[in-house]
Amino acid sequence: MSLTPTELQTYLAALTRGQLKLATMIWGPPGVGKSSVVAQVARAHSLDFVDVRLSQLAPTDLRGLPVPQADPTGNGGISRWFPPEFLPRGGNGILFLDEVNMAPPTMQGMAQQLILDRRVGSYELPDGWFVWAAGNRKEDRASVFDMPAPLANRFLHLTVRPDFDAWRAYALGRSLHEHVIAFLTFRPELLHRLDPQQPAWPSPRSWEMAAQLHRAGLDVSPAIGEAAGAEFSAFVRLFEQLPDLGTVLNGQGGGLKLPDEPSVRYAAVVGLAARAADADEAYHAFRWLSESAGPEWLQLYVATLVTKFQAIGQLGELAGLLGRDERLAELVAGTLALSEGA
């Protein structure tokens, strides 16, 4: 089953609500957000989260170490396996086995016992815990081992794919730099472009790093690669052509005009939505755009605005827009209906 990150989050949430303790394997390219989605599900449902990177462990790291003890029957000594401290002892949570198919076969075999029997050595996983795993596919050029058929047959298998709408909601909720969000709105195909010949390439994960670099005034190429970095830098220079967005948001943009260049319009429209702090600023920007932009730009503005207010939990600001303008109310209501039906 192929899912977007949002769809994956919905599916995993349903497993937790239904208390379906079915081992689940999440496949997908590097940087697409597999571990982030699992961590978000854990937080949303108040579950503990233990992230175990199997590729970095030896079998004894998972099974534990043998410790000699006296036999209580008095017939000599015995060895008892002491499990590692990172394995949960109680409560409720998600045990996440990341990079499972990057682990060598001996390690995968050790993990198979934990996945199938919910125990390994003398350790037993508490009843309140889910066992989920993740790994990269061979076509992603990752250094992976074949997963043994008996182990693969123990899992539900879900594949996650990059999705710009899901990433935009995440980016707006995290207040990533508006230049990055605007650029990827203009060039969504660069959200994820794997280049196994280069150490740095665009992915949802590397764009988040790029946003941090850009906010600090640093070149983003070390995160996303030279080609995407050059395109992004050229796009950022377009912001010099923008009118003062702060003036527009304050309702004083009557004398300002929206440039005709499409890439500049993307920058302005997304920038206004990202900066709008409340219903008043959002309405001022809508009024200004309605005087100089076509319906497709108004739709982009409202869609970005709705996604942002939903992501940061300011639904009251959306409600405050509905009585301002009939056309704005229709666009907001339509966008909300689409997001609820997705």
Side-chain angles (χ1 to χ4, degrees):
M1 178 184 291
S2 179
L3 305 169
T4 67
T6 300
E7 292 167 342
L8 175 65
Q9 187 170 0
T10 300
Y11 192 98
L12 295 177
L15 291 180
T16 61
R17 287 194 302 270
Q19 288 295 303
L20 299 175
K21 303 295 195 320
L22 302 173
T24 301
M25 178 71 190
I26 304 167
W27 301 92
V32 76
K34 300 182 292 295
S35 57
S36 296
V37 169
V38 174
Q40 289 169 26
V41 171
R43 287 195 299 270
H45 293 81
S46 301
L47 295 171
D48 293 331
F49 178 62
V50 175
D51 186 344
V52 178
R53 305 297 171 110
L54 282 185
S55 62
Q56 300 174 14
L57 300 180
T60 53
D61 294 330
L62 188 62
R63 186 176 182 180
L65 293 174
V67 177
Q69 291 187 334
D71 187 342
T73 65
N75 296 320
I78 60 172
S79 290
R80 181 182 177 187
W81 293 90
F82 275 30
E85 62 178 0
F86 59 77
L87 290 177
R89 299 295 192 276
N92 302 284
I94 298 170
L95 177 60
F96 184 53
L97 307 177
D98 204 359
E99 301 175 352
V100 64
N101 60 335
M102 292 180 67
T106 53
M107 196 65 221
Q108 291 191 40
M110 187 67 64
Q112 180 176 335
Q113 185 183 4
L114 182 60
I115 294 162
L116 173 60
D117 300 326
R118 297 177 62 88
R119 62 184 307 145
V120 58
S122 60
Y123 170 79
E124 185 171 352
L125 186 68
D127 290 339
W129 283 75
F130 298 85
V131 179
W132 297 346
N136 302 134
R137 307 162 302 179
K138 280 189 174 181
E139 57 263 37
D140 300 319
R141 304 291 182 89
S143 300
V144 297
F145 295 90
D146 288 331
M147 181 178 288
L151 176 58
N153 195 235
R154 310 301 181 192
F155 282 115
L156 303 178
H157 293 272
L158 306 174
T159 300
V160 61
R161 65 181 187 274
D163 177 74
F164 173 71
D165 289 337
W167 182 86
R168 181 179 63 177
Y170 171 81
L172 289 166
R174 299 268 294 183
S175 298
L176 297 193
H177 201 292
E178 69 188 63
H179 292 178
V180 171
I181 300 172
F183 174 70
L184 289 174
T185 302
F186 179 60
R187 290 277 278 140
E189 62 273 18
L190 285 181
L191 175 63
H192 191 280
R193 180 170 288 181
L194 175 63
D195 185 352
Q197 305 303 318
Q198 299 296 328
W201 41 271
S203 73
R205 178 169 55 203
S206 62
W207 277 113
E208 184 168 3
M209 293 189 292
Q212 297 175 35
L213 292 174
H214 185 56
R215 194 178 295 280
L218 299 173
D219 181 19
V220 301
S221 297
I224 59 174
E226 295 293 337
E231 279 201 53
F232 176 74
S233 296
F235 183 85
V236 168
R237 287 194 290 271
L238 295 174
F239 277 77
E240 299 173 0
Q241 304 176 33
L242 290 181
D244 186 343
L245 299 185
T247 300
V248 173
L249 291 168
N250 290 330
Q252 306 297 319
L256 303 176
K257 298 298 181 183
L258 183 66
D260 293 329
E261 168 62 34
S263 55
V264 181
R265 288 195 166 201
Y266 272 101
V269 170
V270 175
L272 286 169
R275 292 192 196 184
D278 53 37
D280 287 337
E281 291 189 352
Y283 177 63
H284 292 153
F286 178 83
R287 285 290 303 274
W288 182 75
L289 287 171
S290 67
E291 295 174 359
S292 55
E296 69 277 12
W297 298 103
L298 291 177
Q299 182 63 60
L300 173 62
Y301 168 74
V302 171
T304 306
L305 187 73
V306 168
T307 298
K308 185 192 79 167
F309 282 148
Q310 286 180 319
I312 63 178
Q314 292 187 0
L315 297 180
E317 301 299 338
L318 290 177
L321 292 173
L322 297 179
R324 302 292 185 98
D325 181 290
E326 183 177 346
R327 184 167 45 157
L328 175 57
E330 290 178 356
L331 288 171
V332 170
T335 303
L336 285 171
L338 285 174
S339 65
E340 291 171 358

